[in-house]
Amino acid sequence: MKPTYESPIITKLNAGMMNKFGSRTEYTPVKSIDNVAVADLMDEYGSPLFVISEKTIRQTYQKALKAFKMRYPKVQFAWSYKTNYLDAVCQVFHQEGSWAEVVSGFEYQKALRNGVPGNLIIFNGPDKSAEDLKMAVENRSLIHIDHFDELYMLIEIMEEMENTKARVAIRVNMDTGVYPQWDRFGFNYDNGQAWNAIVKIIAQEKLQLEGLHCHIGTYMLTANAYAVAARKMCELALSYANTTGERVKYLDMGGGFCSSNTLKGSYLQGADIIPTFDDYAKAITSTILQFGFRPDELPLLILETGRALIDEAGYLLGTVLATKRLADGRRATVLDTGVNIMFTSFWYNHRISPAQDFSQHAEETALFGPLCMNIDSLRESVILPIMKKGDRIVVHEVGAYNMTQWMQFITLRPNIVMIDTKGDVHLIRKQETVNTIVDCEVVPEHLAKHNL
Amino acid sequence: MNKRKITVAVTGLNNIDSPGPGIPVIRGLKESESLDVRIIGLSYETLEPGIYMHDLVDKVYQLPLPTAGSAVLKERLRYIVSQEKIDVLIPNFDAELHNFIKIQDELKVELNIATFLPSQTIFDERQKSELGKFGEKYGVKVPESHMINQVLEIRKLEETLDYPMVIKGRYYDAYIASTYEQASTYFYKVVAKWGYPVIVQEFVTGTEVNVTAIGDGEGTCIGAVPMRKLYITDKGKAWSGISLEDDELMEISRRVIENSKWRGGCELEFIKTKDDEYYLLEMNPRFPAWVYLANGCGQNHPEALVKMALGEEVQPFTDYQSGKMFIRYSYDQIVDISEFQQISTMGER
Amino acid sequence: MKIRKNIAISENGFIFNPMTGDSFSVNETGAFILQKLKDDESEETILQNLMDEYDLDTYTAERDLNDFLSMLKGHQLTTNE
């Protein structure tokens, strides 16, 4: 038999630039996901292809839930729709017991369609129309008020609604010692704005303050910031109790937990520096438990973490379209997975594995997507085994935001499949066709024809 | 006396003009009176001089860069222990410590490699940006410092801080600013390189004095030797230094090690003011490159660390000689390209 | 295209250019091609050798060989005598 062929390479050994250990590479091929062969998936569903592991979602969810339940008696997760609102994904979370957390009328409709009872939908965000608010009030959903204009709009709406109360909370922002401070959402704690909003709500017959909500940032590398936030939330809850004699029912600590993706510019690997679910849980629950609530009056703890629950369950499979030399001699590899479907590559250095065997040799390469646009660059420099046209790759941890923030730009969006816990594969979103796009378009009559 | 044979792996073989601590640590170990130490050098680059020092380094393996992550590091160490046993491993680079601290328990359990490192908590507490809290918690004066996110906050700090003030990056870099204009320029310079927050620190004038120390992790300071730099390179590194006799400095250093229950080697950097007050500027979480001076003064810190890593009880050093000097020199080794080829292509020699 | 006479190629794919002091590493296929160049084989012959040695189509072989030769040239390892 002839030896396996690999493209010839020559690498200059630069002092001080030595790669890894000699020329060995750190990568191992990823040939299957949950025991389903990557090659089979791509043969059947095409390339690129998103793959979601139901097993990983459920395991991750259970791990997060356990971290909190071990430490605190009343815990409730609410699935952050914007992180991934594919119906199949949402249903996995709802089966696990998650409520829905939505930030637009569109997401709200989606949650209702998924059969989530209205009173288990949390409605966040700065953009809620009058119609949205009416619908939320009627469905007894939890409305998390973001600003005074929304508060006044809700008060007006309630004047016209008979025999009903709106269940509300306010979103609170605060200094937790981390930068940047997310002060654009909600009412500020430190300057008293949040308390003013609460006072305004107390004065309203038809508004019932049920809870307090905060969401201190995203990809939070320090668990301690949540302890600071939890303490300020408890202070507010206490002030409310002292003023009204009533208790808020819940504290919603939002999300912002890290996945193990590595941020661009980070020296260390994400997996090595991120806090665990246990770290976050410890910071939040010990603060609330030690604050001094009576055991039977402990508020329900709600969490809206999205990224940390779904990122790892998502994979993107792709194909090498071409390899070429750049003017400076560097290798460039063109993949069919571009920034159009991998929005998170703007801020992460995603881990990318070849899906087939390779030799110990590796070469530095730039990774580009397929778009005819200069922005479509996935990695400026990464050391990968030598790959050729037609080789397949697996991009890891793309479950969060990519399937919601993706762009229909230049090309169409691909299939998404889910591998269930038994290893069966289900198509959960069909690849778009030209009709998906042009069906929404209308051409005025005078532009219908030309004489080319 | 019959010396006990053990194998110790050491990083930081970059014995260049801003040297890593690896070679000085190895010299200490080689001079142990009770241990016969075989040295495995762990290198990141192919031109680290220690790779080619056959009388000090018995065998060399390349390690993956810290950016590759702790999982890859562990895999590499798994390969190395499949070749030969490592009793103790001493990491000497700031950038690699995070990963080693993270996997220290796994190294012991899975690969039977002992280390002697601080916990992640104490390691984090002495980060530059946390220095104020660190000083308060462990009873040592530190320069007044503030973390700021906006350049205008410097104006506010002018009420309590006089110029010059020090503008520092979160991890590295420090500039001395004499005016608001300078301070704001440095602010943006630091932000561009290290991000937010920026540390604004009181400028304390005086003499810089440093201490190399080692703690047992239980609240005992096993050894400490103070030194003043006599001559520095253009990069600010000590070229020559002298051991000092200074009871108060010793007392403060011991207090920091004891109160923080520091585990392993470290370097404490102080400024001694004209009024004989000591301000801690920084605590480096590993032996300094001049740790061999401690050996010359009668305290073999690397040997003590290895013994503690192996679970032995080590009595604290009670004495050292002051007035001992170190004077660095550089030395051209002659190496055949075949050796460079070996380490470059095989990742070991 | 010919490889410079004084270039040393070792078994494990280490290349040393004593004229410039540069060193390089190549993989097996690279070492295979370099050896043929040292033996003064023509590009056509090397192309045929590659396809005999490996399971390889003409298109890939030609493309990879050209790419490799251009890298050798870029690294100043060749002469055009």
Side-chain angles (χ1 to χ4, degrees), chain A residues 431-444:
Chain A
Q431 67 186 51
E432 292 169 345
T433 63
V434 174
N435 282 342
T436 316
I437 310 307
V438 298
D439 280 355
C440 299
E441 295 186 31
V442 182
V443 179

Side-chain angles (χ1 to χ4, degrees), chain A residues 25-33 38-39 42 47 49 261 269 312 314-320 333 335-337 342 349-359 365 367 378-379 382-388 390-398, chain B residues 72:
Chain A
T25 96
E26 67 194 71
Y27 292 85
T28 46
V30 173
K31 294 184 195 171
S32 66
I33 297 168
V38 167
M42 294 175 86
S47 176
L49 173 68
N261 257 312
Q269 288 289 301
E312 201 192 333
Y315 301 83
L316 178 58
L317 314 184
T319 307
V320 176
T333 307
L335 303 169
D336 64 356
T337 54
M342 242 167 86
N349 283 333
H350 280 287
R351 183 160 76 90
I352 295 174
S353 309
Q356 53 278 312
D357 287 319
F358 50 84
S359 79
T365 181
L367 287 184
L378 303 176
R379 291 288 279 272
V382 58
I383 292 166
L384 276 177
I386 300 151
M387 291 193 293
K388 57 182 187 299
D391 278 354
R392 286 157 167 179
I393 53 120
V394 178
V395 188
H396 300 263
E397 292 193 81
V398 294
Chain B
V72 178

Side-chain angles (χ1 to χ4, degrees), chain A residues 13-24 26 177-179 224 262 266-269 271-274 276 360, chain B residues 44-47 62-70 72 76 95 98-99 102 149 196 343-348:
Chain A
L13 301 173
N14 290 333
M17 281 286 290
M18 201 47 220
N19 142 53
K20 316 304 163 198
F21 7 99
S23 51
R24 274 180 206 96
E26 67 194 71
V178 297
Y179 185 86
N224 189 48
T262 303
S266 166
Y267 183 73
L268 296 167
Q269 288 289 301
D272 287 331
I273 52 173
I274 58 165
T276 61
Q360 57 161 326
Chain B
Y44 290 100
E45 294 174 358
T46 45
L47 287 183
Q62 294 261 76
L63 288 188
L65 291 171
T67 49
S70 64
V72 178
R76 179 59 175 164
H98 181 95
N99 286 344
K102 187 175 167 72
N149 292 309
Y196 295 99
I343 192 84
S344 301
T345 53
M346 304 308 289
E348 57 188 271

Side-chain angles (χ1 to χ4, degrees), chain A residues 212-228:
Chain A
L212 297 168
H213 171 222
C214 69
H215 192 125
I216 56 177
T218 187
Y219 204 85
M220 302 296 291
L221 284 165
T222 155
N224 189 48
Y226 286 92
V228 177

Side-chain angles (χ1 to χ4, degrees), chain A residues 414-432:
Chain A
N415 279 325
I416 303 178
V417 297
M418 179 182 275
I419 303 174
D420 69 20
T421 50
K422 294 194 205 81
D424 293 330
V425 181
H426 308 267
L427 183 65
I428 61 168
R429 191 181 192 276
K430 280 186 259 181
Q431 67 186 51
E432 292 169 345

